[in-house]
Amino acid sequence: MNKKEVNEIKRRFKKDSCNFDKMVGCYVDAEKNIVLTFKETFLNLDDEEFHKYLEIANKSLSGTIGNNLLELPFDPETEIEGSGHDLLMKLRETRLQDEKLLIEYYNRIIETYDFVGNYLILLYHDTYDIPLKTSDDLTLDDSEEVYEYIICAICPVALSKPGLGYREDENRIGARLRDWVVGPVDTAFTFPCFTERTTDLHACLAYTKNTKEPHVEFWENCIGCGTKKTSTQKKAAFNNMLDQALGEETEETIEKKLDIQQNLSDFITVETERLGENEPIILEPQDVANILTDSGLPDLKVERIQAHFENFFEEALPLADELLDEKALKNNELRVEKNVLKERVVDLTKQLKEVTGVTSEGKAPDIVVKVSEDKAASVTTAFVDGKKCICVPIEPDETFMLNGEEI
């Protein structure tokens, strides 16, 4: 699913256009016990609850594609009875109405979701009559397909922070009563995918709040799909490859990493012009080698990084912009500006010396003024701009010497 397709579904998550027909949930304590389960007709919820639950559904489809949101495929050979895919198909077909099936799925989540503390499991069901669109993206009223899907969201539940509050029953300020509060979505998924504006039963769209350490164990053992690395993980791995090859962090190694990021950015610019704005730019091992060589790295280090790159991205090569470090690029811009300023200061200092005649040793020049003998007595002193100066009247044919040179 791309950003456009995700946004088409998310546009439904509003008060006037929401069409969730059912929402069910399960509250789990820190000992992995089911504390309670519940079912709700979504459109009958009180306004405050309606918007809070809708916010959770919306968050489950939020973030950056390829980082917070990952399209995870199912292996067709594992789509068998009793598998994660099979359970999701049954939940979808029964529209979250089968209590026994729901309990089975709750337990599956509890067994596979690695989390310390209390949490809330929510499942939503929706059907979407996909409107036809013309080639110029105009929406028509007619519909050829219904996209039926479920959203599963898992939210941590923690005690509210201690503090003071108004105790209305006692009419005084006292310790605030602490209660259990549902936090932001930690992990979620939407099944099936809405790919190219049609139902894709062989993939789900996973959401992770933590892009450094997503719940891979949940993806594999509960959902039963494949896994992918987030952009954050890819970038961290690439930076680790550079750190290992370049060695201890010094001013020189920092400069090298900035050069690499700038050359990577230049590579993306060139490839975008060649392929077009909407075409993904896949970073090949040879592209990495070229970028490192252009950045001044010796051949041995280039080969070492290239080998680590091929090994880490053996299953799927990254997009070039996934390894781009925006912070490093900004630091590089500051470095360039600083170097330009340094060169400018040197240039201005040189010009100033030429104008004032100050020597390289910092000494004032020898000034010799030759005037005729009859005017020597006319030499006087005067204050100019608050400074005492020697005033020497000279004629057009008389000379003025600065550092031994006639002016």
Side-chain angles (χ1 to χ4, degrees):
M1 289 176 68
N2 57 36
K3 186 176 181 179
K4 193 173 181 180
E5 291 158 353
V6 170
N7 287 339
E8 183 173 348
I9 299 301
K10 286 181 65 178
R11 278 194 292 270
R12 298 171 52 74
F13 301 168
K14 297 177 182 178
K15 176 67 174 177
D16 297 332
S17 52
C18 177
N19 197 41
F20 289 126
D21 55 2
K22 185 66 65 177
M23 182 190 72
V24 299
C26 172
Y27 180 42
V28 183
D29 66 16
E31 284 71 43
K32 297 185 177 295
N33 299 312
I34 294 178
V35 178
L36 70 89
T37 61
F38 58 92
K39 287 185 178 182
E40 299 287 352
T41 301
F42 198 80
L43 299 179
N44 291 342
L45 290 169
D46 293 338
D47 270 2
E48 188 172 351
E49 291 185 7
F50 180 94
H51 288 292
K52 289 298 181 182
Y53 283 121
L54 197 59
E55 184 180 330
I56 291 174
N58 187 71
K59 191 62 180 178
S60 301
L61 284 165
S62 299
T64 306
I65 301 289
N67 202 31
N68 303 99
L69 292 173
L70 298 167
E71 184 171 324
L72 305 179
F74 288 93
D75 182 350
E77 294 184 1
T78 64
E79 295 176 1
I80 57 178
E81 187 174 354
S83 67
H85 184 271
D86 179 53
L87 285 174
L88 288 173
M89 289 292 289
K90 290 176 179 176
L91 287 170
R92 174 173 171 265
E93 290 165 3
T94 57
R95 301 192 169 201
L96 307 181
Q97 304 278 3
D98 189 326
E99 184 67 29
K100 183 179 178 181
L101 188 61
L102 287 172
I103 294 298
E104 181 181 354
Y105 202 70
Y106 294 149
N107 284 322
R108 186 182 180 93
I109 292 175
I110 293 168
E111 290 170 5
T112 57
Y113 181 57
D114 185 11
F115 185 81
V116 177
N118 300 12
Y119 57 89
L120 176 67
I121 303 170
L122 292 173
L123 289 166
Y124 303 75
H125 179 269
D126 187 23
T127 53
Y128 173 40
D129 288 327
I130 307 172
L132 293 174
K133 286 194 175 183
T134 61
S135 57
D136 52 358
D137 215 29
L138 292 176
T139 302
L140 304 177
D141 291 335
D142 295 335
S143 172
E144 286 188 341
E145 180 186 347
V146 173
Y147 170 56
E148 185 178 1
Y149 65 99
I150 59 174
I151 294 175
C152 175
I154 304 176
C155 308
V157 179
L159 274 173
S160 59
K161 294 181 180 179
L164 295 175
Y166 175 58
R167 305 288 292 268
E168 187 175 1
D169 56 337
E170 302 173 20
N171 193 31
R172 71 180 184 90
I173 300 297
R176 188 175 64 186
L177 295 177
R178 301 179 67 187
D179 54 3
W180 293 94
V181 180
V182 177
V185 181
D186 177 64
T187 192
F189 67 87
T190 302
F191 174 82
C193 271
F194 182 62
T195 306
E196 296 183 356
R197 302 191 71 244
T198 190
T199 301
D200 180 4
L201 294 172
H202 304 292
C204 75
L205 185 68
Y207 165 84
T208 178
K209 180 184 177 183
N210 186 347
T211 56
K212 292 182 180 180
E213 297 179 346
H215 286 277
V216 176
E217 82 290 343
F218 176 70
W219 296 348
E220 293 179 336
N221 302 320
C222 181
I223 304 175
C225 57
T227 63
K228 290 181 180 179
K229 295 178 176 66
T230 66
S231 296
T232 298
Q233 291 176 310
K234 295 175 185 178
K235 190 181 300 180
F238 183 63
N239 285 332
N240 189 47
M241 295 173 200
L242 297 180
D243 290 338
Q244 289 182 356
L246 295 175
E248 183 181 353
E249 186 173 282
T250 62
E251 187 174 344
E252 183 182 357
T253 59
I254 292 174
E255 296 274 325
K256 285 295 181 187
K257 290 181 74 173
L258 293 179
D259 288 337
I260 291 169
Q261 284 294 324
Q262 186 57 55
N263 286 329
L264 176 59
S265 178
D266 294 340
F267 168 79
I268 292 173
T269 300
V270 171
E271 289 299 291
T272 299
E273 292 176 355
R274 183 176 71 87
L275 299 173
E277 287 286 343
N278 298 323
E279 287 298 317
I281 302 170
I282 298 175
L283 195 64
E284 301 282 348
Q286 187 56 51
D287 297 327
V288 173
N290 294 340
I291 289 169
L292 297 175
T293 301
D294 292 342
S295 302
L297 267 67
D299 292 343
L300 186 61
K301 291 186 177 180
V302 170
E303 291 173 3
R304 186 183 306 169
I305 295 172
Q306 186 179 9
H308 286 313
F309 182 89
E310 290 177 340
N311 183 57
F312 186 83
F313 296 108
E314 182 179 7
E315 295 182 3
L317 292 171
L319 298 178
D321 58 5
E322 289 182 307
L323 305 187
L324 201 60
D325 189 335
E326 295 296 336
K327 185 178 180 180
L329 289 178
K330 288 180 181 178
N331 289 337
N332 188 58
E333 288 178 7
L334 293 175
R335 179 183 64 155
V336 172
E337 290 176 3
K338 184 178 179 180
N339 290 337
V340 170
L341 286 175
K342 283 183 179 179
E343 293 175 2
R344 183 63 176 158
V345 168
V346 172
D347 186 49
L348 288 174
T349 303
K350 183 179 179 183
Q351 293 180 36
L352 183 61
K353 288 179 179 179
E354 292 175 352
V355 171
T356 60
V358 176
T359 65
S360 59
E361 292 79 16
K363 298 180 180 179
D366 296 326
I367 301 176
V368 179
V369 181
K370 294 182 179 181
V371 296
S372 59
E373 291 183 6
D374 60 331
K375 290 187 178 180
S378 302
V379 176
T380 61
T381 60
F383 283 91
V384 179
D385 293 335
K387 296 180 180 180
K388 192 173 183 179
C389 303
I390 297 175
C391 298
V392 182
I394 61 175
E395 297 294 334
D397 60 341
E398 294 174 329
T399 58
F400 181 84
M401 304 295 292
L402 177 62
N403 284 337
E405 296 184 6
E406 184 176 317
I407 297 179

